Amino acid sequence: MSEIPVASTPDELLVLAVRVAREAAGTARRMRAAAIGDVETKSTDTDVVTAADKAVERQVVEALLAERPGDGVLGEEYGDSAEVAPGAVRWILDPIDGTVNYLYGLPQYAVSLAAERDGEVVAGVVVNAATGDEWTATRGGGAWRAGRRLSGSVRTTLDQSLVGTGFGYDARRRAHQGAVLAGLITRVRDIRRFGAASLDLCMAAEGQLDAYFEKGLNAWDHAAGGLIAAEAGLTVAGLAGAPAGRTMLVAAPPAIFPALHDALVELDAAGGP
């Protein structure tokens, strides 16, 4: 294993993450036309992965390890690049979050990159590759977009809240999630599904969504966006005291979180396949 790089602050890690993510977003945009004709299937016929996903991930891994060879990278397409020693950084990457949007030309797909040290995400950036919009956060340093510090929604009641969510690719899971949604939709202002978890979390951090929840997310789906939401003042957690993760992630301002949490528990949102 290579030597651990000199310890970096969250701000220094963020500078590197932003530069690498911006370059990766540029590659994703350039490759989109070619990617439409080069589709493979992943877990099911509706879960697609393109040559662009793989190319962007390779680019990011090479760029990070060229500067910090002692780090590891957990990416969606290729998994862990290396085991990291205590104190080293593990980068968590989704090269193109929102691949279906990417294929259809919908402007809602992102490069998501986070720096994790000793199990805690300390810096993260999400770049909407279609638009160039960018959200960043460092642990304890707040969440930001275009020089403006983010503070989430000002809503205080669930019935007036616009809530984002997403769905899995497995048909049985979708059936369960649809039943949950049917029970929730009468208790909220409305529901939105944009198709990219990292961007959903950033929208919640900015107050464009009042809250967000989803079952089945992987670390690369929420590492950067989850930090951005938390640093914007949202509560980011699972249900019944569990941490945010594959079973459930809920991101909502403290005023809304308890009511949304209780509704999701009642509807067994963390259950099913």
Side-chain angles (χ1 to χ4, degrees):
M1 183 180 297
S2 303
E3 292 183 4
I4 300 172
V6 175
S8 300
T9 67
D11 286 339
E12 291 169 335
L13 294 170
L14 182 62
V15 169
L16 175 58
V18 167
R19 173 165 57 81
V20 170
R22 286 175 179 172
E23 293 169 352
T27 298
R29 284 193 301 272
R30 288 191 298 272
M31 292 189 69
R32 199 190 77 81
I36 290 175
D38 186 13
V39 180
E40 303 170 16
T41 58
K42 214 193 291 189
S43 62
T44 73
D45 288 342
T46 55
D47 184 9
V48 295
V49 58
T50 67
D53 290 276
K54 297 176 180 179
V56 171
E57 183 159 318
R58 285 194 300 267
Q59 175 181 320
V60 171
V61 171
E62 290 171 4
L64 292 171
L65 298 186
E67 296 200 27
R68 299 177 57 87
D71 290 354
V73 183
L74 172 63
E76 180 177 11
E77 303 305 331
Y78 295 104
D80 271 313
S81 63
E83 182 179 350
V84 297
V89 170
R90 182 175 76 154
W91 298 89
I92 304 175
L93 167 67
D94 195 335
I96 302 179
D97 183 23
T99 305
V100 174
N101 290 345
Y102 182 77
L103 288 170
Y104 279 82
L106 300 174
Q108 198 79 1
Y109 54 90
V111 176
S112 173
L113 182 60
E116 176 191 76
R117 180 180 282 129
D118 294 331
E120 180 180 65
V121 176
V122 297
V125 57
V126 175
V127 180
N128 184 332
T131 65
D133 292 331
E134 184 177 289
W135 297 261
T136 62
T138 54
R139 179 72 58 182
W144 301 82
R145 180 186 177 192
R148 178 170 61 91
R149 187 162 187 167
L150 305 180
S151 56
S153 171
V154 298
R155 297 278 179 263
T156 59
T157 61
L158 185 61
D159 65 336
Q160 294 297 307
S161 296
L162 182 64
V163 179
T165 192
F167 304 104
Y169 288 103
D170 180 85
R172 295 174 304 154
R173 175 168 291 179
R174 286 187 173 191
H176 182 79
Q177 290 173 317
V180 171
L181 194 61
L184 182 66
I185 198 166
T186 58
R187 310 185 195 190
V188 299
R189 181 190 294 273
D190 210 342
I191 297 289
R192 292 293 182 270
R193 191 271 205 266
F194 294 108
S198 62
L199 292 174
D200 290 337
L201 285 161
C202 291
M203 292 173 72
E206 196 163 352
Q208 293 177 314
L209 290 171
D210 297 310
Y212 166 74
F213 74 95
E214 188 164 348
K215 173 184 171 71
L217 296 179
N218 293 294
W220 49 78
D221 295 312
H222 65 83
L227 176 66
I228 291 164
E231 286 295 322
L234 278 64
T235 300
V236 180
L239 299 182
R246 284 190 59 82
T247 302
M248 179 57 63
L249 180 148
V250 183
I256 299 173
F257 185 91
L260 179 57
H261 170 278
D262 291 351
L264 293 172
V265 169
E266 178 188 334
L267 294 166
D268 191 29

